[in-house]
Structures are given as structure tokens and as C-alpha cells.
Amino acid sequence: MSRDGLKRLGRAVVTLAVLLGLWQIAFHLTGERRFLLPSPAQTLAVLVERHALILEHAGVTFAEILLGLGLGCLLGVGTALLLASFRPVRRWLMPVLVVSQAIPVFAIAPLLVLWLGYGLGSKVAMATLIIYFPVTAAFFDGLRRTDPGWMDLARVMGGSRFATLRHIRLPAALPAFASGLRVATAVAPIGAVVGEWVGSSAGLGYLMLQANARMQVPMMFAALFVLAVFAIALYTAVDVLLRRALPWVPDDGRSP
């Protein structure tokens, strides 16, 4: 492992230790009402004892997150390309996108469950809706902010519209797309879990609801911990892939 990698790992370990310490302090501060907040040790015990059940539901949620992320990115990229390439489409579609964001996505979840059922489809659709707009907005913004000098050079050299898009606008918009994808990855678990809360028969959100109904607080925190690990791992993986795919993009975060 490189020196920078060791430093990042060390910072992560210290951060985790501090968070666990604060968690333990908060547990002691609850006094006699410790049923409100389990200790890290109690949560770890549930993770070990009920690992088979937790992993079964975690697999369902992880599949929903990945499918939603993939579909949301594909739809977002396609929409951004349409908006950037065709002015009439932009005039008609952009107001629809803006208005759609005025409707809380969480309010749509019951309708998705009604239309698509309690299975995988409604959860994937919910995750897709949450991911779709950040990717669309970021990628479209990158496409329309291409350096005018490069566009003028393409026109002077007789570049076609498709060639200009492929060789100039797309590469120039990739950093903006990467930013949107990072945001989408961070919020991807929200759609899946909210969909499971509204109606489901499996998943970490379903497991948390069942544990809440039975006052099994350590199980709730165990499911929440696994969900947090999923979110961090997915974000880290996407971030590493984007850094390797876009090595020319400056990254001040790499400096110690």
C-alpha cells in the first residue's frame, strides 16, 4: 500500500474509533433508558448472532441499490444528451424536470408500490428516481459549459455535430458527470430503503420496520450499520473508479 493509502486508512480508523467512542458515551448518558440506544457491543453481538438473517435482507437491498443506480445513470445520461443536442427537446422537457423536483420523491413511493407491487420493481424505481436528477443535471451542465474556444475550433475545422459531441463535448463534460455520479451514489440507498418502508417483504428497511415493531433496537442499529457500510463501500468504489477513469481531472483531496 502506498504512503497516501496508509494515511487515508489511518484517518479512517481514527474516525471510526472516535465515532464508536461517542456512541459509547451516548449509550452511558441514556441512564436507565438504555433501551433507546444500544451500545456498540450489543449491536456487534446482534450482527454476529443474526448474521444469516441480516445478510439475506442486505442482499435484497444491495441489489435494489445497484439496479437503481444503473438505471438512473442510463436514463440521466440519455436525457442530458437529448437536452444538450436538441433545443426543442430542451424547451419542452426542462420545465417538466424542474416541476418534477418540486414533488417530494417520498410522496411517490406509495404510488410506486401500488403500481409495481411489493417486490423488487417498486424499490428499483424509487432508487432510479432519486438518482436520475443529479446525474441528468450534472451531465447536462457539463455538456452546455464546454469551452467556447474548443467549439469554435471544431466549427473552423469542419467537425460534424456528432464528431464535436464525441471528441469535445463528452470528454469536457465527464468531470461534471463524475460529480453527479458521486452525489447519486451517496443518495442511492435512500430510495431503496424508503421503498422498503412503504411496502416490502424483504430488505434492510423491512427488517428495521419489523425490529421497530418488536422494540428490538439492537437489530435496528445492526441493519442501519450494514446499510451505512454499503453506502460507504459503494461510494468509495465509485470514487476510485472515477479517479482512475479520469486521471486528468485535478483532485486536491489527494494531497496529504
Side-chain angles (χ1 to χ4, degrees):
M1 183 178 293
S2 65
R3 185 176 180 181
D4 288 342
L6 288 174
K7 287 183 178 180
R8 286 195 295 268
L9 178 61
R11 287 193 292 265
V13 171
V14 171
T15 302
L16 178 61
V18 170
L19 290 175
L20 289 176
L22 293 174
W23 184 356
Q24 186 66 37
I25 292 173
F27 169 72
H28 287 297
L29 290 177
T30 56
E32 296 180 355
R33 297 180 298 173
R34 292 186 175 179
F35 62 90
L36 296 176
L37 178 68
S39 68
Q42 291 173 329
T43 304
L44 178 61
V46 171
L47 283 170
V48 174
E49 294 171 3
R50 308 294 300 276
H51 68 276
L53 176 65
I54 294 174
L55 287 177
E56 178 183 353
H57 288 279
V60 174
T61 301
F62 194 61
E64 294 166 355
I65 294 172
L66 288 182
L67 289 173
L69 187 61
L71 287 175
C73 287
L74 287 176
L75 291 175
V77 168
T79 303
L81 289 173
L82 283 175
L83 292 172
S85 301
F86 303 101
R87 188 179 298 273
V89 173
R90 181 160 66 248
R91 290 174 177 172
W92 287 96
L93 188 57
M94 182 57 72
V96 176
L97 290 175
V98 174
V99 171
S100 68
Q101 293 307 297
I103 303 174
V105 181
F106 306 112
I108 305 176
L111 293 175
L112 294 177
V113 173
L114 178 65
W115 294 336
L116 302 176
Y118 285 84
L120 193 68
S122 58
K123 316 321 178 282
V124 173
M126 186 68 180
T128 300
L129 287 175
I130 288 183
I131 292 161
Y132 169 73
F133 189 77
V135 173
T136 303
F139 194 36
F140 172 62
D141 189 58
L143 287 170
R144 70 176 181 173
R145 293 183 181 275
T146 306
D147 190 332
W150 296 351
M151 299 297 293
D152 292 339
L153 179 62
R155 294 189 190 97
V156 170
M157 298 183 66
S160 66
R161 193 171 186 178
F162 176 76
T164 302
L165 175 66
R166 178 183 176 185
H167 297 291
I168 296 180
R169 300 186 71 185
L170 281 179
L174 286 179
F177 169 73
S179 299
L181 184 56
R182 287 187 176 96
V183 173
T185 304
V187 301
I190 296 176
V193 173
V194 169
E196 291 171 355
W197 284 346
V198 173
S200 65
S201 57
L204 290 175
Y206 168 81
L207 186 62
M208 292 172 67
L209 281 180
Q210 296 301 311
N212 180 61
R214 295 170 173 80
M215 288 299 293
Q216 298 174 347
V217 183
M219 174 62 81
M220 293 174 59
F221 272 78
L224 185 61
F225 177 79
V226 173
L227 185 64
V229 171
F230 275 173
I232 294 172
L234 187 60
Y235 180 87
T236 302
V238 169
D239 184 57
V240 170
L241 289 175
L242 288 174
R243 288 182 180 182
R244 293 183 177 180
L246 308 174
W248 67 86
V249 178
D251 184 8
D252 294 335
R254 293 182 182 180
S255 59

